[in-house]
Amino acid sequence: WKDNVAVKTGVERDIAPNKTVRLGYGYNSDAVRAETNTPYLPTILSNYFTAGFGLQRHNWDYDIAYQYSFRPTIHTGQSDLVGGDQTNSSSNTQAHWLFLGVANKF
């Protein structure tokens, strides 16, 4: 592993007295070296795009959000892993996330 840089940004906007929309982006530099990459270890997803919507009714907040995250393809020439596992390989990772939230203010 090596050092990582993380940058996150987002915006939240009220579109009505009880409705809110959110957009965001996040970036993490690649902390995994290609020579030690393996599908058995969690990977760092480099890019995150998010969108969300919030609704407030009486004392209740309802929120839904979607996130798409991915990383560029890692190409491993000569693996540093014992036995040379993952030599001459490529891996690609992406994920789709759905978040739901309900909160009561009392």
Side-chain angles (χ1 to χ4, degrees):
W1 292 73
K2 56 187 177 181
D3 291 340
N4 184 344
V5 173
V7 178
K8 314 282 188 215
T9 187
V11 63
E12 177 179 276
R13 182 81 171 190
D14 292 333
I15 58 173
N18 63 341
K19 296 176 184 164
T20 304
V21 293
R22 300 172 186 94
L23 294 173
Y25 173 75
Y27 170 78
N28 289 311
S29 62
D30 194 355
V32 178
R33 294 183 14 239
E35 295 82 11
T36 57
N37 183 49
T38 173
Y40 304 113
L41 295 176
T43 185
I44 293 177
L45 298 169
S46 301
N47 296 279
Y48 305 83
F49 293 96
T50 62
F53 177 76
L55 176 66
Q56 299 81 38
R57 292 277 185 205
H58 308 289
N59 290 336
W60 291 89
D61 291 346
Y62 304 93
D63 291 287
I64 186 169
Y66 169 76
Q67 176 177 301
Y68 172 64
S69 37
F70 68 95
R71 62 164 300 120
T73 300
I74 295 179
H75 301 283
T76 302
Q78 179 60 48
S79 176
D80 287 346
L81 300 175
V82 174
D85 289 353
Q86 310 308 317
T87 294
N88 296 322
S89 67
S90 297
S91 66
N92 186 343
T93 307
Q94 61 179 318
H96 297 271
W97 310 79
L98 183 62
F99 303 94
L100 303 171
V102 176
N104 182 288
K105 297 179 184 177
F106 56 92

